[in-house]
Amino acid sequence: MREVKELETNGHGFNLKVEEDGEIKKMLVAAEAEKEKEMVSAGSTFLSLLATKDRDFLLSPSGTQVKISELRSKVIGIYFSANWYAPCKKFTQVLVSVYKQFSRYYTSGFEIVFVSSDEDSEAFAAYRASMPWLAIPFSDLETKKALNQRFNVEGIPCLVVLQPNNNKDDDAIVYDGVELVYRYGVEAFPFTKERLEKLREEEREKHEKQTLKDLLTNSNRDFVFGHSTMEKVPVNSLTGKTIGLFFSAKWCVPGLKFTSKLISVYQKIKQGLVSGEDFEIVYVSSDNGEMEFEGYFQSMPWLALPFGDPNAKNLRKYFDIRGIPSLVILGPDGKTLSKQGRNLICLYKENAYPFTRARMEALERQMDEEAKRLPKSKHHEGHHHELSLVSEGTGGGPYICCECDEQGHGWAYQCLECGYEVHPNCVRTVEDSQTS
């Protein structure tokens, strides 16, 4: 005689009295297999890239093995990085902080998988020791190569974010995770299109409504420092002026170099102002201490936020300042004209004022006309290959001049063999015979 028994649901939806026989057992096995199949299918397309025929696990921070199948329902960040590259180490510190906040504030799963470009296993181990997330074993070169190819990784650091249950849809892949983490931090989670569009819309609205007072003052301070830390200049007195927010620090060698150039340009702009116009710069410090700040600020003929003021940190985040020196230009209405002020100063010097779109377009046209009179190629004494004149449309675009270490844009003399680039006015021409 066959027994009759009540089966628990066990997540399969069964809650009825049935005869326990071979058919029911088959049904349960089939249901379990189907559920497993669905779970695997939901994340198999990209999760399978993390595994090999002989490895179905990742390494935890402690070195233990974590099954890749445990990531199926999680948002996954694939992090391409290396300890030998300073921007990677800098971003890793930011990502660790954000990752811990994710874990603290969100119940939805988020995991990061480190894909190493380190030079050896010792460097890999040392770098991974700073990371609280999972990693591809260093010895698995094939998986690392496959992931780089699949996601078309052209530079590091790179953070690619994948959504659970959506991994077959390439449109759901977020390739600019580094930028999003820098810009939005923990607020970027869960990195869906809807969430990111909402953040960008909020950012656009905030920038459209920004005022000089909102940017530079807080409940405890309505002034900036004048040419000494004893002089207080009301922020209201800056209303209606074109303002440059200068992000730098005394310890930053490129910052010191650019400061001398900016002082010269600042003074020439001030001298050339016509009635009804005015220009001012406000220093936003990243100095390591107040004495360092004061020593650096004393060399500047403009204004500054007090050292350690909370607005400084807020401004760096608000304008997405990734490195210093940086110069953000605000128009007389308090709205942002350009976040590329350093580039514009290097390209056009005092002629860049008043930094409006119309002014930039006129200067670009002028540069194009001047480029027509330049030689198509030159030999530069600082490089052993011939340099060719290129524009943005023929291989130019934004670059760092290898001669003066400053930003450039548009026209450049470029080495087509190795990518060496210099501003047209930085080329020191030599005779062909001297380069042979």
Side-chain angles (χ1 to χ4, degrees):
M1 177 180 290
R2 293 176 295 185
E3 294 181 356
V4 176
K5 185 176 179 181
E6 180 171 336
L7 297 179
E8 299 297 331
T9 62
N10 291 326
H12 299 295
F14 297 108
N15 190 17
L16 46 126
K17 292 184 181 297
V18 296
E19 293 180 326
E20 186 178 7
D21 57 11
E23 293 300 320
I24 296 304
K25 288 181 180 179
K26 290 180 182 179
M27 186 183 298
L28 288 172
V29 171
E32 185 67 32
E34 186 63 26
K35 182 179 180 182
E36 181 69 17
K37 181 179 178 181
E38 289 176 359
M39 290 177 65
V40 172
S41 176
S44 62
T45 304
F46 293 143
L47 285 184
S48 62
L49 290 175
L50 303 178
T52 67
K53 182 177 67 174
D54 303 316
R55 178 183 55 76
D56 63 351
F57 63 86
L58 299 167
L59 297 178
S60 74
S62 63
T64 59
Q65 297 180 3
V66 176
K67 292 286 187 180
I68 292 173
S69 58
E70 295 182 20
L71 304 183
R72 284 180 190 136
S73 61
K74 296 184 177 183
V75 176
I76 302 170
I78 303 181
Y79 181 41
F80 302 84
S81 187
N83 77 323
W84 49 261
Y85 192 43
C88 285
K89 297 178 75 172
K90 178 182 177 182
F91 178 69
T92 295
Q93 294 177 344
V94 175
L95 189 58
V96 167
S97 175
V98 171
Y99 177 83
K100 291 179 178 178
Q101 291 180 64
F102 283 139
S103 303
R104 188 180 308 127
Y105 297 122
Y106 292 97
T107 56
S108 299
F110 176 64
E111 191 52 77
I112 295 174
V113 178
F114 171 43
V115 182
S116 170
S117 294
D118 295 305
E119 296 173 325
D120 52 54
S121 57
E122 289 77 14
F124 165 75
Y127 192 28
R128 193 167 68 89
S130 67
M131 303 174 180
W133 46 72
L134 306 178
I136 299 287
F138 181 77
S139 59
D140 191 351
L141 300 179
E142 288 303 314
T143 297
K144 291 189 286 187
K145 181 179 178 181
L147 288 168
N148 274 273
Q149 291 178 340
R150 174 61 184 83
F151 298 112
N152 194 29
V153 177
E154 296 181 347
I156 54 175
C158 176
L159 180 65
V160 177
V161 183
L162 310 175
Q163 294 296 323
N165 307 323
N166 231 344
N167 291 338
K168 292 183 179 179
D169 182 6
D170 275 20
D171 290 338
I173 303 174
V174 171
Y175 289 94
D176 54 347
V178 171
E179 178 182 349
L180 295 171
V181 168
Y182 266 128
R183 180 169 296 182
Y184 303 118
V186 69
E187 294 181 3
F189 189 81
F191 297 95
T192 58
K193 284 186 175 181
E194 294 76 15
R195 178 58 180 165
L196 298 178
E197 183 53 41
K198 181 179 179 182
L199 289 172
R200 290 174 180 129
E201 182 59 33
E202 290 175 352
E203 190 175 63
R204 284 191 291 269
E205 291 178 358
K206 190 181 295 184
H207 280 268
E208 287 173 0
K209 296 176 181 178
Q210 78 181 34
T211 66
L212 199 61
K213 181 179 178 180
D214 291 338
L215 294 174
L216 299 183
T217 68
N218 56 53
S219 58
N220 300 315
R221 179 189 49 76
D222 62 357
F223 62 86
V224 291
F225 284 144
H227 302 301
S228 74
T229 55
M230 301 299 293
E231 180 186 357
K232 297 180 179 180
V233 177
V235 170
N236 285 340
S237 67
L238 304 179
T239 301
K241 299 182 180 182
T242 300
I243 302 292
L245 300 179
F246 179 43
F247 299 83
S248 189
K250 190 175 183 180
W251 51 261
C252 176
V253 175
L256 292 175
K257 188 174 181 180
F258 180 69
T259 298
S260 60
K261 179 180 296 185
L262 185 58
I263 289 173
S264 174
V265 170
Y266 169 83
Q267 292 172 337
K268 289 177 181 178
I269 290 176
K270 297 285 276 187
Q271 292 170 3
L273 291 171
V274 299
S275 178
E277 293 183 341
D278 208 347
F279 177 62
E280 195 51 81
I281 294 176
V282 178
Y283 172 46
V284 183
S285 167
S286 291
D287 294 300
N288 290 324
E290 192 160 6
M291 290 184 63
E292 186 176 272
F293 161 75
E294 291 180 356
Y296 191 23
F297 180 44
Q298 285 177 3
S299 70
M300 303 173 184
W302 45 70
L303 313 176
L305 285 180
F307 176 76
D309 193 277
N311 285 61
K313 181 178 180 180
N314 295 338
L315 287 169
R316 285 191 289 269
K317 181 178 180 181
Y318 182 77
F319 289 110
D320 193 27
I321 303 300
R322 305 284 184 85
I324 55 175
S326 185
L327 183 66
V328 174
I329 306 296
L330 308 176
D333 59 356
K335 303 298 187 292
T336 306
L337 286 177
S338 176
K339 294 197 290 185
Q340 305 300 322
R342 176 186 174 189
N343 186 13
L344 299 177
I345 291 293
C346 292
L347 277 176
Y348 306 119
K349 299 182 174 59
E350 63 274 11
N351 294 325
Y353 180 83
F355 305 95
T356 59
R357 182 184 296 274
R359 182 61 174 165
M360 294 305 106
E361 290 175 350
L363 289 171
E364 288 173 5
R365 288 194 298 270
Q366 180 180 332
M367 181 180 285
D368 289 342
E369 288 300 316
E370 292 174 353
K372 293 177 181 178
R373 299 188 290 272
L374 292 174
K376 297 301 180 183
S377 63
K378 284 187 177 184
H379 283 94
H380 170 54
E381 68 179 39
H383 192 66
H384 54 283
H385 294 143
E386 183 181 54
L387 304 181
S388 299
L389 184 66
V390 297
S391 67
E392 186 169 5
T394 60
Y399 63 94
I400 299 295
C401 176
C402 295
E403 182 63 31
C404 69
D405 293 325
E406 289 293 351
Q407 293 173 313
H409 183 80
W411 293 94
Y413 276 102
Q414 181 187 78
C415 176
L416 301 181
E417 293 189 48
C418 62
Y420 183 95
E421 288 183 288
V422 293
H423 293 129
N425 58 0
C426 285
V427 176
R428 299 188 306 277
T429 305
V430 294
E431 298 297 329
D432 290 352
S433 60
Q434 292 178 266
T435 63
S436 58

